[in-house]
Amino acid sequence: MFDIGFWEITLILVVALLVVGPERLPKLARTSGLWLGRIRSMVQTVKTDIDRELAAEDLKKTLSKQADSIGIHDIIEETKESFNEIKDSMAGLDNTLNENLSESSTPAVADKKDVQAIDEK
């Protein structure tokens, strides 16, 4: 905050000693320390209050954005509908494939007799 070095503090103490006197200097130092502590405490309290207000404001903004956006239930319903559409289209493809296979005249699996005949040769 302030750039006060050793010589500046020494000069302040010498002036205070000359103005106040040696008998009242300890009481003045104690009183100054108490006031400095109170000021620091008040500044810290104000900083904490400001941080708390900023956090509350951010939370309010986030909540309002979430309230304006699409709800999670709507997203779940849209996903279920999409899944059901895909499921129905897959069932239709499966039925078409089964119909095509049943209409074809070539057998899909050879008989055991055919396999044995081939092994004997």
Side-chain angles (χ1 to χ4, degrees), residues 56-100:
E57 187 66 29
D58 287 342
L59 183 61
K60 286 178 185 177
K61 286 180 183 178
T62 303
L63 288 175
S64 67
K65 284 180 184 178
Q66 287 180 352
D68 293 342
S69 67
I70 298 175
I72 188 74
H73 299 293
D74 295 336
I75 293 171
I76 291 172
E77 289 301 319
E78 289 176 9
T79 305
K80 283 181 181 179
E81 289 173 6
S82 299
F83 178 74
N84 287 335
E85 289 174 6
I86 293 170
K87 187 177 171 183
D88 292 341
S89 65
M90 292 299 288
L93 288 174
D94 190 36
N95 289 339
T96 306
L97 182 62
N98 286 337
E99 289 173 5
N100 288 341

Side-chain angles (χ1 to χ4, degrees), residues 101 106-110:
L101 285 176
T106 56
V109 178

Side-chain angles (χ1 to χ4, degrees), residues 8 11 25 34 44 52 75 77 79 85 89 99 108 116:
E8 288 86 5
L11 180 64
L25 187 61
L34 288 175
Q44 185 63 32
R52 195 175 304 142
I75 293 171
E77 289 301 319
T79 305
E85 289 174 6
S89 65
E99 289 173 5
Q116 288 175 355

Side-chain angles (χ1 to χ4, degrees), residues 9-19:
I9 292 174
T10 305
L11 180 64
I12 291 170
L13 289 175
V14 169
V15 171
L17 182 62
L18 293 175
V19 171

